[in-house]
PDB file of all heavy atoms in Angstrom:
ATOM      1  N   THR A   1       4.520  14.833  12.504  1.00 90.00           N
ATOM      2  CA  THR A   1       4.483  14.891  11.035  1.00 90.00           C
ATOM      3  C   THR A   1       5.799  14.788  10.410  1.00 90.00           C
ATOM      4  O   THR A   1       5.945  14.089   9.327  1.00 90.00           O
ATOM      5  CB  THR A   1       3.959  16.348  10.696  1.00 90.00           C
ATOM      6  OG1 THR A   1       2.579  16.460  11.358  1.00 90.00           O
ATOM      7  CG2 THR A   1       3.749  16.435   9.273  1.00 90.00           C
ATOM      8  N   GLU A   2       6.879  15.400  10.986  1.00 88.00           N
ATOM      9  CA  GLU A   2       8.209  15.325  10.475  1.00 88.00           C
ATOM     10  C   GLU A   2       8.650  13.831  10.474  1.00 88.00           C
ATOM     11  O   GLU A   2       9.288  13.387   9.456  1.00 88.00           O
ATOM     12  CB  GLU A   2       9.156  16.142  11.298  1.00 88.00           C
ATOM     13  CG  GLU A   2      10.491  16.380  10.766  1.00 88.00           C
ATOM     14  CD  GLU A   2      10.615  17.174   9.488  1.00 88.00           C
ATOM     15  OE1 GLU A   2       9.682  18.018   9.372  1.00 88.00           O
ATOM     16  OE2 GLU A   2      11.454  16.983   8.689  1.00 88.00           O
ATOM     17  N   VAL A   3       8.388  13.133  11.535  1.00 91.00           N
ATOM     18  CA  VAL A   3       8.739  11.721  11.620  1.00 91.00           C
ATOM     19  C   VAL A   3       8.051  10.911  10.518  1.00 91.00           C
ATOM     20  O   VAL A   3       8.645  10.064   9.898  1.00 91.00           O
ATOM     21  CB  VAL A   3       8.582  11.200  12.997  1.00 91.00           C
ATOM     22  CG1 VAL A   3       8.699   9.591  13.084  1.00 91.00           C
ATOM     23  CG2 VAL A   3       9.606  11.757  13.967  1.00 91.00           C
ATOM     24  N   MET A   4       6.775  11.186  10.351  1.00 93.00           N
ATOM     25  CA  MET A   4       6.015  10.408   9.353  1.00 93.00           C
ATOM     26  C   MET A   4       6.586  10.669   7.935  1.00 93.00           C
ATOM     27  O   MET A   4       6.688   9.790   7.134  1.00 93.00           O
ATOM     28  CB  MET A   4       4.591  10.796   9.357  1.00 93.00           C
ATOM     29  CG  MET A   4       3.738  10.246  10.461  1.00 93.00           C
ATOM     30  SD  MET A   4       2.090  10.759  10.670  1.00 93.00           S
ATOM     31  CE  MET A   4       1.546  10.698   8.958  1.00 93.00           C
ATOM     32  N   VAL A   5       6.934  11.861   7.718  1.00 92.00           N
ATOM     33  CA  VAL A   5       7.427  12.234   6.367  1.00 92.00           C
ATOM     34  C   VAL A   5       8.687  11.599   6.125  1.00 92.00           C
ATOM     35  O   VAL A   5       9.038  10.922   5.020  1.00 92.00           O
ATOM     36  CB  VAL A   5       7.607  13.870   6.211  1.00 92.00           C
ATOM     37  CG1 VAL A   5       8.460  14.213   4.926  1.00 92.00           C
ATOM     38  CG2 VAL A   5       6.285  14.530   6.195  1.00 92.00           C
ATOM     39  N   LEU A   6       9.708  11.680   7.056  1.00 93.00           N
ATOM     40  CA  LEU A   6      11.052  11.126   6.980  1.00 93.00           C
ATOM     41  C   LEU A   6      10.855   9.546   6.850  1.00 93.00           C
ATOM     42  O   LEU A   6      11.521   8.896   6.068  1.00 93.00           O
ATOM     43  CB  LEU A   6      11.808  11.443   8.152  1.00 93.00           C
ATOM     44  CG  LEU A   6      13.254  10.862   8.197  1.00 93.00           C
ATOM     45  CD1 LEU A   6      13.943  11.260   6.890  1.00 93.00           C
ATOM     46  CD2 LEU A   6      13.995  11.407   9.383  1.00 93.00           C
ATOM     47  N   LYS A   7       9.936   8.972   7.578  1.00 94.00           N
ATOM     48  CA  LYS A   7       9.735   7.514   7.593  1.00 94.00           C
ATOM     49  C   LYS A   7       9.281   7.142   6.131  1.00 94.00           C
ATOM     50  O   LYS A   7       9.664   6.107   5.552  1.00 94.00           O
ATOM     51  CB  LYS A   7       8.740   6.983   8.597  1.00 94.00           C
ATOM     52  CG  LYS A   7       8.538   5.583   8.652  1.00 94.00           C
ATOM     53  CD  LYS A   7       7.727   5.064   9.882  1.00 94.00           C
ATOM     54  CE  LYS A   7       7.541   3.658  10.053  1.00 94.00           C
ATOM     55  NZ  LYS A   7       7.837   2.789   8.932  1.00 94.00           N
ATOM     56  N   GLY A   8       8.435   7.934   5.551  1.00 95.00           N
ATOM     57  CA  GLY A   8       7.902   7.715   4.251  1.00 95.00           C
ATOM     58  C   GLY A   8       9.053   7.683   3.198  1.00 95.00           C
ATOM     59  O   GLY A   8       9.139   6.764   2.328  1.00 95.00           O
ATOM     60  N   TYR A   9       9.974   8.684   3.271  1.00 94.00           N
ATOM     61  CA  TYR A   9      11.104   8.731   2.390  1.00 94.00           C
ATOM     62  C   TYR A   9      12.065   7.493   2.618  1.00 94.00           C
ATOM     63  O   TYR A   9      12.481   6.783   1.654  1.00 94.00           O
ATOM     64  CB  TYR A   9      11.975   9.923   2.674  1.00 94.00           C
ATOM     65  CG  TYR A   9      11.491  11.229   1.981  1.00 94.00           C
ATOM     66  CD1 TYR A   9      11.063  12.236   2.754  1.00 94.00           C
ATOM     67  CD2 TYR A   9      11.527  11.256   0.560  1.00 94.00           C
ATOM     68  CE1 TYR A   9      10.489  13.428   2.022  1.00 94.00           C
ATOM     69  CE2 TYR A   9      11.074  12.394  -0.130  1.00 94.00           C
ATOM     70  CZ  TYR A   9      10.578  13.491   0.656  1.00 94.00           C
ATOM     71  OH  TYR A   9      10.158  14.578  -0.017  1.00 94.00           O
ATOM     72  N   ILE A  10      12.191   7.111   3.905  1.00 93.00           N
ATOM     73  CA  ILE A  10      13.166   5.944   4.139  1.00 93.00           C
ATOM     74  C   ILE A  10      12.480   4.715   3.703  1.00 93.00           C
ATOM     75  O   ILE A  10      13.186   3.807   3.020  1.00 93.00           O
ATOM     76  CB  ILE A  10      13.420   5.888   5.718  1.00 93.00           C
ATOM     77  CG1 ILE A  10      14.398   7.036   6.084  1.00 93.00           C
ATOM     78  CG2 ILE A  10      14.058   4.672   6.053  1.00 93.00           C
ATOM     79  CD1 ILE A  10      14.555   7.291   7.476  1.00 93.00           C
ATOM     80  N   ASP A  11      11.165   4.434   3.913  1.00 94.00           N
ATOM     81  CA  ASP A  11      10.475   3.334   3.426  1.00 94.00           C
ATOM     82  C   ASP A  11      10.668   3.173   1.921  1.00 94.00           C
ATOM     83  O   ASP A  11      10.773   2.099   1.399  1.00 94.00           O
ATOM     84  CB  ASP A  11       9.116   3.241   3.900  1.00 94.00           C
ATOM     85  CG  ASP A  11       8.907   2.982   5.370  1.00 94.00           C
ATOM     86  OD1 ASP A  11       9.913   2.616   6.070  1.00 94.00           O
ATOM     87  OD2 ASP A  11       7.809   3.131   5.933  1.00 94.00           O
ATOM     88  N   PHE A  12      10.356   4.285   1.330  1.00 95.00           N
ATOM     89  CA  PHE A  12      10.340   4.386  -0.206  1.00 95.00           C
ATOM     90  C   PHE A  12      11.829   3.914  -0.782  1.00 95.00           C
ATOM     91  O   PHE A  12      11.937   3.024  -1.562  1.00 95.00           O
ATOM     92  CB  PHE A  12       9.984   5.754  -0.727  1.00 95.00           C
ATOM     93  CG  PHE A  12       9.778   5.735  -2.165  1.00 95.00           C
ATOM     94  CD1 PHE A  12       8.619   5.313  -2.760  1.00 95.00           C
ATOM     95  CD2 PHE A  12      10.882   6.245  -3.077  1.00 95.00           C
ATOM     96  CE1 PHE A  12       8.476   5.413  -4.163  1.00 95.00           C
ATOM     97  CE2 PHE A  12      10.737   6.182  -4.378  1.00 95.00           C
ATOM     98  CZ  PHE A  12       9.567   5.889  -4.992  1.00 95.00           C
ATOM     99  N   TYR A  13      12.816   4.547  -0.094  1.00 94.00           N
ATOM    100  CA  TYR A  13      14.290   4.202  -0.508  1.00 94.00           C
ATOM    101  C   TYR A  13      14.485   2.738  -0.253  1.00 94.00           C
ATOM    102  O   TYR A  13      15.051   2.120  -1.166  1.00 94.00           O
ATOM    103  CB  TYR A  13      15.213   5.061   0.415  1.00 94.00           C
ATOM    104  CG  TYR A  13      16.621   4.658   0.178  1.00 94.00           C
ATOM    105  CD1 TYR A  13      17.347   5.141  -0.844  1.00 94.00           C
ATOM    106  CD2 TYR A  13      17.202   3.694   0.960  1.00 94.00           C
ATOM    107  CE1 TYR A  13      18.752   4.801  -1.065  1.00 94.00           C
ATOM    108  CE2 TYR A  13      18.543   3.209   0.779  1.00 94.00           C
ATOM    109  CZ  TYR A  13      19.252   3.800  -0.223  1.00 94.00           C
ATOM    110  OH  TYR A  13      20.662   3.419  -0.489  1.00 94.00           O
ATOM    111  N   ASN A  14      14.031   2.218   0.872  1.00 92.00           N
ATOM    112  CA  ASN A  14      14.365   0.800   1.187  1.00 92.00           C
ATOM    113  C   ASN A  14      13.663  -0.240   0.333  1.00 92.00           C
ATOM    114  O   ASN A  14      13.967  -1.414   0.302  1.00 92.00           O
ATOM    115  CB  ASN A  14      14.083   0.621   2.682  1.00 92.00           C
ATOM    116  CG  ASN A  14      15.156   1.232   3.565  1.00 92.00           C
ATOM    117  OD1 ASN A  14      16.418   1.402   3.061  1.00 92.00           O
ATOM    118  ND2 ASN A  14      14.876   1.544   4.707  1.00 92.00           N
ATOM    119  N   THR A  15      12.703   0.295  -0.407  1.00 93.00           N
ATOM    120  CA  THR A  15      11.861  -0.613  -1.267  1.00 93.00           C
ATOM    121  C   THR A  15      11.885  -0.340  -2.779  1.00 93.00           C
ATOM    122  O   THR A  15      11.277  -1.043  -3.590  1.00 93.00           O
ATOM    123  CB  THR A  15      10.322  -0.619  -0.845  1.00 93.00           C
ATOM    124  OG1 THR A  15       9.893   0.686  -0.834  1.00 93.00           O
ATOM    125  CG2 THR A  15      10.245  -1.113   0.588  1.00 93.00           C
ATOM    126  N   HIS A  16      12.667   0.699  -3.126  1.00 94.00           N
ATOM    127  CA  HIS A  16      12.827   0.997  -4.548  1.00 94.00           C
ATOM    128  C   HIS A  16      14.237   1.155  -4.979  1.00 94.00           C
ATOM    129  O   HIS A  16      14.981   2.157  -4.591  1.00 94.00           O
ATOM    130  CB  HIS A  16      12.124   2.365  -4.920  1.00 94.00           C
ATOM    131  CG  HIS A  16      10.651   2.304  -4.766  1.00 94.00           C
ATOM    132  ND1 HIS A  16       9.987   2.258  -3.523  1.00 94.00           N
ATOM    133  CD2 HIS A  16       9.718   2.308  -5.600  1.00 94.00           C
ATOM    134  CE1 HIS A  16       8.668   2.109  -3.842  1.00 94.00           C
ATOM    135  NE2 HIS A  16       8.485   2.195  -5.047  1.00 94.00           N
ATOM    136  N   LYS A  17      14.771   0.108  -5.629  1.00 92.00           N
ATOM    137  CA  LYS A  17      16.157  -0.031  -6.026  1.00 92.00           C
ATOM    138  C   LYS A  17      16.617   1.282  -6.861  1.00 92.00           C
ATOM    139  O   LYS A  17      17.765   1.629  -6.707  1.00 92.00           O
ATOM    140  CB  LYS A  17      16.401  -1.168  -6.788  1.00 92.00           C
ATOM    141  CG  LYS A  17      17.849  -1.743  -6.630  1.00 92.00           C
ATOM    142  CD  LYS A  17      18.056  -3.111  -7.345  1.00 92.00           C
ATOM    143  CE  LYS A  17      17.113  -4.157  -6.739  1.00 92.00           C
ATOM    144  NZ  LYS A  17      17.568  -5.473  -6.691  1.00 92.00           N
ATOM    145  N   GLU A  18      15.767   1.820  -7.598  1.00 94.00           N
ATOM    146  CA  GLU A  18      16.186   2.857  -8.569  1.00 94.00           C
ATOM    147  C   GLU A  18      16.277   4.174  -7.825  1.00 94.00           C
ATOM    148  O   GLU A  18      16.790   5.161  -8.434  1.00 94.00           O
ATOM    149  CB  GLU A  18      15.290   3.019  -9.734  1.00 94.00           C
ATOM    150  CG  GLU A  18      13.783   3.515  -9.458  1.00 94.00           C
ATOM    151  CD  GLU A  18      12.853   2.470  -8.813  1.00 94.00           C
ATOM    152  OE1 GLU A  18      13.283   1.286  -8.531  1.00 94.00           O
ATOM    153  OE2 GLU A  18      11.785   2.970  -8.519  1.00 94.00           O
ATOM    154  N   TYR A  19      15.745   4.244  -6.590  1.00 95.00           N
ATOM    155  CA  TYR A  19      15.822   5.578  -5.861  1.00 95.00           C
ATOM    156  C   TYR A  19      17.137   5.642  -5.207  1.00 95.00           C
ATOM    157  O   TYR A  19      17.471   4.942  -4.269  1.00 95.00           O
ATOM    158  CB  TYR A  19      14.711   5.585  -4.945  1.00 95.00           C
ATOM    159  CG  TYR A  19      14.329   6.912  -4.290  1.00 95.00           C
ATOM    160  CD1 TYR A  19      14.061   8.051  -4.937  1.00 95.00           C
ATOM    161  CD2 TYR A  19      14.373   6.984  -2.939  1.00 95.00           C
ATOM    162  CE1 TYR A  19      13.762   9.282  -4.364  1.00 95.00           C
ATOM    163  CE2 TYR A  19      14.039   8.199  -2.232  1.00 95.00           C
ATOM    164  CZ  TYR A  19      13.769   9.325  -2.995  1.00 95.00           C
ATOM    165  OH  TYR A  19      13.423  10.555  -2.455  1.00 95.00           O
ATOM    166  N   THR A  20      17.981   6.712  -5.519  1.00 94.00           N
ATOM    167  CA  THR A  20      19.271   6.770  -5.005  1.00 94.00           C
ATOM    168  C   THR A  20      19.298   7.503  -3.626  1.00 94.00           C
ATOM    169  O   THR A  20      18.453   8.206  -3.282  1.00 94.00           O
ATOM    170  CB  THR A  20      20.187   7.464  -5.935  1.00 94.00           C
ATOM    171  OG1 THR A  20      19.770   8.894  -5.996  1.00 94.00           O
ATOM    172  CG2 THR A  20      20.277   6.858  -7.311  1.00 94.00           C
ATOM    173  N   LYS A  21      20.321   7.148  -2.813  1.00 94.00           N
ATOM    174  CA  LYS A  21      20.482   7.894  -1.612  1.00 94.00           C
ATOM    175  C   LYS A  21      20.620   9.359  -1.763  1.00 94.00           C
ATOM    176  O   LYS A  21      20.162  10.153  -1.004  1.00 94.00           O
ATOM    177  CB  LYS A  21      21.741   7.237  -0.791  1.00 94.00           C
ATOM    178  CG  LYS A  21      21.907   7.699   0.579  1.00 94.00           C
ATOM    179  CD  LYS A  21      23.169   7.381   1.157  1.00 94.00           C
ATOM    180  CE  LYS A  21      23.576   5.955   1.015  1.00 94.00           C
ATOM    181  NZ  LYS A  21      24.968   5.622   1.759  1.00 94.00           N
ATOM    182  N   GLU A  22      21.363   9.688  -2.797  1.00 96.00           N
ATOM    183  CA  GLU A  22      21.605  11.150  -3.103  1.00 96.00           C
ATOM    184  C   GLU A  22      20.188  11.835  -3.325  1.00 96.00           C
ATOM    185  O   GLU A  22      19.882  12.938  -2.844  1.00 96.00           O
ATOM    186  CB  GLU A  22      22.529  11.282  -4.318  1.00 96.00           C
ATOM    187  CG  GLU A  22      22.965  12.709  -4.562  1.00 96.00           C
ATOM    188  CD  GLU A  22      23.964  12.773  -5.692  1.00 96.00           C
ATOM    189  OE1 GLU A  22      25.103  12.578  -5.529  1.00 96.00           O
ATOM    190  OE2 GLU A  22      23.442  13.012  -6.798  1.00 96.00           O
ATOM    191  N   GLN A  23      19.427  11.131  -4.156  1.00 96.00           N
ATOM    192  CA  GLN A  23      18.069  11.672  -4.448  1.00 96.00           C
ATOM    193  C   GLN A  23      17.189  11.808  -3.136  1.00 96.00           C
ATOM    194  O   GLN A  23      16.447  12.779  -2.965  1.00 96.00           O
ATOM    195  CB  GLN A  23      17.363  10.790  -5.401  1.00 96.00           C
ATOM    196  CG  GLN A  23      16.052  11.501  -6.016  1.00 96.00           C
ATOM    197  CD  GLN A  23      16.252  12.762  -6.704  1.00 96.00           C
ATOM    198  OE1 GLN A  23      17.128  12.760  -7.668  1.00 96.00           O
ATOM    199  NE2 GLN A  23      15.583  13.769  -6.325  1.00 96.00           N
ATOM    200  N   LEU A  24      17.307  10.865  -2.245  1.00 96.00           N
ATOM    201  CA  LEU A  24      16.543  10.908  -1.007  1.00 96.00           C
ATOM    202  C   LEU A  24      16.958  12.189  -0.244  1.00 96.00           C
ATOM    203  O   LEU A  24      16.194  12.942   0.349  1.00 96.00           O
ATOM    204  CB  LEU A  24      16.840   9.588  -0.137  1.00 96.00           C
ATOM    205  CG  LEU A  24      16.017   9.626   1.223  1.00 96.00           C
ATOM    206  CD1 LEU A  24      15.712   8.130   1.548  1.00 96.00           C
ATOM    207  CD2 LEU A  24      16.754  10.210   2.275  1.00 96.00           C
ATOM    208  N   TYR A  25      18.350  12.335  -0.162  1.00 96.00           N
ATOM    209  CA  TYR A  25      18.827  13.530   0.539  1.00 96.00           C
ATOM    210  C   TYR A  25      18.285  14.885   0.026  1.00 96.00           C
ATOM    211  O   TYR A  25      17.980  15.797   0.583  1.00 96.00           O
ATOM    212  CB  TYR A  25      20.353  13.566   0.781  1.00 96.00           C
ATOM    213  CG  TYR A  25      20.836  12.686   1.864  1.00 96.00           C
ATOM    214  CD1 TYR A  25      20.960  11.335   1.842  1.00 96.00           C
ATOM    215  CD2 TYR A  25      21.206  13.273   3.052  1.00 96.00           C
ATOM    216  CE1 TYR A  25      21.387  10.557   2.712  1.00 96.00           C
ATOM    217  CE2 TYR A  25      21.682  12.515   4.160  1.00 96.00           C
ATOM    218  CZ  TYR A  25      21.812  11.101   4.015  1.00 96.00           C
ATOM    219  OH  TYR A  25      22.266  10.385   5.068  1.00 96.00           O
ATOM    220  N   LYS A  26      18.363  14.881  -1.361  1.00 96.00           N
ATOM    221  CA  LYS A  26      17.931  16.074  -2.089  1.00 96.00           C
ATOM    222  C   LYS A  26      16.408  16.393  -1.792  1.00 96.00           C
ATOM    223  O   LYS A  26      16.059  17.475  -1.582  1.00 96.00           O
ATOM    224  CB  LYS A  26      18.090  15.893  -3.570  1.00 96.00           C
ATOM    225  CG  LYS A  26      19.575  16.063  -4.075  1.00 96.00           C
ATOM    226  CD  LYS A  26      19.576  15.925  -5.628  1.00 96.00           C
ATOM    227  CE  LYS A  26      21.061  16.041  -5.965  1.00 96.00           C
ATOM    228  NZ  LYS A  26      21.201  15.703  -7.470  1.00 96.00           N
ATOM    229  N   ASP A  27      15.584  15.318  -1.901  1.00 95.00           N
ATOM    230  CA  ASP A  27      14.141  15.422  -1.711  1.00 95.00           C
ATOM    231  C   ASP A  27      13.896  15.864  -0.330  1.00 95.00           C
ATOM    232  O   ASP A  27      12.953  16.747  -0.031  1.00 95.00           O
ATOM    233  CB  ASP A  27      13.511  14.046  -1.997  1.00 95.00           C
ATOM    234  CG  ASP A  27      13.545  13.759  -3.491  1.00 95.00           C
ATOM    235  OD1 ASP A  27      13.772  14.678  -4.358  1.00 95.00           O
ATOM    236  OD2 ASP A  27      13.150  12.677  -3.839  1.00 95.00           O
ATOM    237  N   TYR A  28      14.507  15.207   0.743  1.00 94.00           N
ATOM    238  CA  TYR A  28      14.224  15.531   2.105  1.00 94.00           C
ATOM    239  C   TYR A  28      14.701  16.806   2.616  1.00 94.00           C
ATOM    240  O   TYR A  28      14.005  17.663   3.273  1.00 94.00           O
ATOM    241  CB  TYR A  28      14.553  14.363   2.986  1.00 94.00           C
ATOM    242  CG  TYR A  28      14.171  14.559   4.380  1.00 94.00           C
ATOM    243  CD1 TYR A  28      12.815  14.475   4.727  1.00 94.00           C
ATOM    244  CD2 TYR A  28      15.082  14.772   5.371  1.00 94.00           C
ATOM    245  CE1 TYR A  28      12.442  14.727   6.052  1.00 94.00           C
ATOM    246  CE2 TYR A  28      14.716  14.958   6.717  1.00 94.00           C
ATOM    247  CZ  TYR A  28      13.372  14.916   7.079  1.00 94.00           C
ATOM    248  OH  TYR A  28      12.944  15.173   8.336  1.00 94.00           O
ATOM    249  N   TYR A  29      15.986  17.040   2.374  1.00 94.00           N
ATOM    250  CA  TYR A  29      16.634  18.288   2.894  1.00 94.00           C
ATOM    251  C   TYR A  29      16.583  19.500   2.005  1.00 94.00           C
ATOM    252  O   TYR A  29      16.906  20.581   2.476  1.00 94.00           O
ATOM    253  CB  TYR A  29      18.128  17.970   3.172  1.00 94.00           C
ATOM    254  CG  TYR A  29      18.290  17.105   4.378  1.00 94.00           C
ATOM    255  CD1 TYR A  29      18.820  15.801   4.231  1.00 94.00           C
ATOM    256  CD2 TYR A  29      17.859  17.433   5.699  1.00 94.00           C
ATOM    257  CE1 TYR A  29      18.999  14.964   5.260  1.00 94.00           C
ATOM    258  CE2 TYR A  29      18.074  16.571   6.788  1.00 94.00           C
ATOM    259  CZ  TYR A  29      18.570  15.383   6.563  1.00 94.00           C
ATOM    260  OH  TYR A  29      18.822  14.550   7.696  1.00 94.00           O
ATOM    261  N   GLY A  30      16.263  19.341   0.684  1.00 94.00           N
ATOM    262  CA  GLY A  30      16.198  20.448  -0.161  1.00 94.00           C
ATOM    263  C   GLY A  30      17.542  21.102  -0.424  1.00 94.00           C
ATOM    264  O   GLY A  30      18.514  20.344  -0.665  1.00 94.00           O
TER     265      GLY A  30
END
């Protein structure tokens, strides 16, 4: 489950130019 969730965040980041790396870290790690 953890891998699926992380992969979802990574795929979203890699396909959405407006989604920042900082935002990904905030969303995933809290």
Side-chain angles (χ1 to χ4, degrees):
T1 301
E2 191 68 28
V3 167
M4 281 175 46
V5 169
L6 180 55
K7 186 171 179 347
Y9 278 113
I10 290 169
D11 289 347
F12 189 83
Y13 172 85
N14 287 334
T15 56
H16 291 75
K17 205 177 300 217
E18 71 282 359
Y19 190 58
T20 66
K21 189 193 305 182
E22 188 176 276
Q23 190 62 50
L24 181 148
Y25 276 81
K26 284 180 182 174
D27 290 345
Y28 184 66
Y29 289 115

